[in-house]
Amino acid sequence: LATNQAALEAGEGASKIFAGGFLDAFVYLGGSGATLGLAIAMFLSKKDHIKSIGKLSIIPGIFNINEPIIFGAPIVMNPILFVPFLLTPIINATIAWFAVKSGLVGHIVSLVPWTTPGPIAALLATNFSVAALILSSALVVLSVVIYLPFLRVYEASLDREEAAELEAAKYNAEKEYFSKT
């Protein structure tokens, strides 16, 4: 970050890509795992349980606080959602790196608080590069697209669990009824 700032002051082009708040502005949108995309995907779910977690997680996610979704979804100990949790930041970092390297997006030249919403952080950290704002916003949309199929698989697994629990409850009720007669 200091190198990029010195270059900017000298009227030269910044050269360091992974400087300062690069990860906050482009990679960890919504917190580790880029979970703002998951919160939005959950908000769009047809299952009330999933939708309510999404509703509760969007506002904190905008400010890069993702504990509600990490433990509410849950991502912890959930192999289905763990895959996009790892994949999404890697994809975001790769796309953002190429965008900065190719000159489409400005380099990070200032440090913004980590709780600044990603697209706004990208705008401020790159000295008001509108392209950075657009890229960060597009990466949020991409993270929704990445999380959606995994969320659908997770919803289907929840449906199977509910069906199995209902079947077990029905069996136990019948067993109890017949044992009394």
Side-chain angles (χ1 to χ4, degrees):
L1 181 61
T3 304
N4 283 353
Q5 289 172 337
L8 185 66
E9 287 176 18
E12 302 168 3
S15 61
K16 304 298 179 192
I17 294 176
F18 287 109
F22 179 86
L23 296 176
D24 294 332
F26 299 114
V27 180
Y28 298 136
L29 302 165
S32 60
T35 53
L36 180 57
L38 177 58
I40 294 168
M42 291 177 89
F43 177 75
L44 301 173
S45 176
K46 292 180 177 122
K47 292 185 71 60
D48 290 336
H49 169 73
I50 300 291
K51 187 175 197 137
S52 67
I53 294 169
K55 282 181 187 178
L56 292 171
S57 301
I58 284 181
I59 299 299
I62 289 171
F63 297 99
N64 300 318
I65 299 166
N66 68 348
E67 283 80 5
I69 200 130
I70 292 283
F71 298 105
I75 294 173
V76 175
M77 302 300 287
N78 184 336
I80 297 169
L81 294 178
F82 187 70
V83 171
F85 182 81
L86 289 179
L87 229 116
T88 305
I90 294 169
I91 293 168
N92 285 355
T94 304
I95 291 170
W97 186 88
F98 278 112
V100 173
K101 184 72 174 170
S102 68
L104 294 172
V105 173
H107 285 71
I108 302 289
V109 293
S110 65
L111 191 58
V112 232
W114 67 271
T115 53
T116 306
I120 295 169
L123 178 72
L124 297 174
T126 57
N127 205 18
F128 298 97
S129 168
V130 176
L133 173 83
I134 293 168
L135 174 63
S136 187
S137 300
L139 291 173
V140 170
V141 172
L142 178 62
S143 67
V144 173
V145 171
I146 293 169
Y147 271 108
L148 264 173
F150 291 93
L151 181 62
R152 297 296 179 238
V153 170
Y154 178 58
E155 289 172 337
S157 74
L158 290 177
D159 288 341
R160 286 190 300 275
E161 285 177 19
E162 288 174 13
E165 287 174 9
L166 284 174
E167 190 64 34
K170 180 180 172 185
Y171 172 78
N172 288 337
E174 288 175 354
K175 183 178 173 183
E176 184 179 322
Y177 174 77
F178 288 117
S179 68
K180 289 181 180 179
T181 56

